[in-house]
Amino acid sequence: MHRFKLSLRFPKSISSSYRAIHDKTQFDNAGPVASVLKSRAVVRFRGPDTVKFLQGLLTNDVRRFGEAVGEKTSTLPTPNLPTASEAPMYAALLTPQGRFLYDFFLYAPPRPDTKLDKTGSGPGPDPDEALELFADVDASVLDELLSTLKKYRLRSKVDIENVAEELYCWQRFGGNLSEKSSSVEEPEAASVGWGAGVDPAGMSASHGGPLGWQWFKDPRLDCLGFRGIFPSNTTPPLVEADKETDEQNYFLWRIENGVAEGSTEIPKGASLLPL
């Protein structure tokens, strides 16, 4: 496994803030909490060359997003409702010398042929539509990142679009969430499939409504909890009204677990990813 040689950079106020809410048991005792991550922005990649384009740029193997989904099926007594879900991927874009530039969390939305149509009687429409992938990235360098990606695009058939106004990134953490399931899906969010006859509230709890967004285990460390992207005009499933907390608490949760994120904390052009 590759490891970053990191030189971390944190805000000057972190010491006093950390001391103020250092007691991790407040989250363990309160159960899981969730934060909308305004420090992250969402970018959409769409087109027949999406996988090829990203495969040539990023440190992880993006090709699995272009492979057949497999034989994952619902655990409900509705065996005709597939719930195939591709786990998100953490990857980085490096300089030609192998130094860190930007990090990406890549997500693949459910494909039309992995869910039923509105009648519940057949696969969704147009299974051959162009592949879409989404990435949550560091919002503080979004314009710079988009410019870099478009510079590398050349003749690749892939559209790169800023959808930060449409989709927000969220993190669900605390409360020993990682101990509940070995699955990549949030255990409660994996319990309901697609199709007619499904309780609307249950479907919402499963996939964040008809768009198919859901929670997944953070691909970096189990202790970080679950991550996902959701429509900006809705509250994600499983987020209780009194359990939404400021992003600063997630920031401190990460630091407690020794995990840096984004080009602010992982200085661009300085951190190395050894081969």
Side-chain angles (χ1 to χ4, degrees):
M1 178 181 292
H2 297 308
R3 292 187 178 181
F4 284 110
K5 180 181 179 182
L6 298 179
S7 174
L8 306 184
R9 194 187 292 148
F10 301 123
K12 293 181 179 179
S13 61
I14 182 60
S15 296
S16 57
S17 298
Y18 182 75
R19 285 193 296 267
I21 62 170
H22 173 68
D23 186 5
K24 273 183 67 178
T25 59
Q26 66 173 316
F27 293 129
D28 292 332
N29 295 337
V33 294
S35 299
V36 58
L37 306 185
K38 294 296 183 67
S39 63
R40 308 293 291 184
V42 180
V43 175
R44 174 169 57 198
F45 301 91
R46 187 175 190 273
D49 291 340
T50 294
V51 170
K52 180 180 178 182
F53 170 70
L54 292 174
Q55 179 70 15
L57 289 179
L58 304 184
T59 56
N60 213 329
D61 189 353
V62 183
R63 290 173 297 179
R64 68 173 169 86
F65 288 120
E67 297 172 351
V69 176
E71 298 297 326
K72 300 179 183 179
T73 56
S74 172
T75 56
L76 290 180
T78 50
N80 64 323
L81 302 182
T83 58
S85 302
E86 191 66 63
M89 174 186 293
Y90 184 67
L93 175 61
L94 309 178
T95 69
Q97 294 75 34
R99 296 181 182 274
F100 178 90
L101 284 176
Y102 313 103
D103 64 353
F104 295 70
F105 289 83
L106 293 173
Y107 306 81
R111 303 180 193 177
D113 57 350
T114 65
K115 57 187 179 182
L116 301 185
D117 59 22
K118 293 182 179 180
T119 69
S121 60
D126 193 12
D128 296 321
E129 68 180 27
L131 176 68
E132 281 187 328
L133 291 179
F134 292 79
D136 83 63
V137 299
D138 188 340
S140 69
V141 294
L142 177 60
D143 291 341
E144 177 186 318
L145 170 60
L146 290 173
S147 177
T148 300
L149 291 171
K150 291 175 181 178
K151 178 180 68 175
Y152 284 124
R153 179 173 54 186
L154 300 176
R155 294 186 177 85
S156 297
K157 296 179 180 178
V158 54
D159 294 324
I160 305 168
E161 184 182 0
N162 173 12
V163 292
E165 296 298 320
E166 302 171 28
L167 295 166
Y168 285 170
C169 178
W170 287 73
Q171 190 87 14
R172 193 164 179 257
F173 61 100
N176 297 319
L177 274 172
S178 62
E179 298 177 6
K180 292 185 177 181
S181 173
S182 60
S183 169
V184 294
E185 284 191 34
E186 212 288 352
E188 294 174 75
S191 61
V192 180
W194 291 81
V198 175
D199 175 68
M203 185 176 74
S204 176
S206 172
H207 292 97
L211 295 179
W213 300 115
Q214 61 195 88
W215 294 103
F216 288 98
K217 269 190 176 180
D218 192 303
R220 297 167 297 177
L221 286 177
D222 284 354
C223 62
L224 294 179
F226 293 84
R227 196 177 184 100
I229 54 176
F230 300 90
S232 58
N233 60 352
T234 64
T235 299
L238 311 178
V239 177
E240 300 175 30
D242 60 342
K243 295 300 178 65
E244 185 178 339
T245 186
D246 188 89
E247 182 179 357
Q248 180 74 353
N249 290 328
Y250 164 64
F251 172 76
L252 296 173
W253 180 268
R254 278 198 296 105
I255 301 311
E256 176 79 16
N257 289 286
V259 179
E261 183 173 294
S263 303
T264 303
E265 299 175 18
I266 311 173
K268 294 188 302 173
S271 302
L272 293 173
L273 181 62
L275 297 176

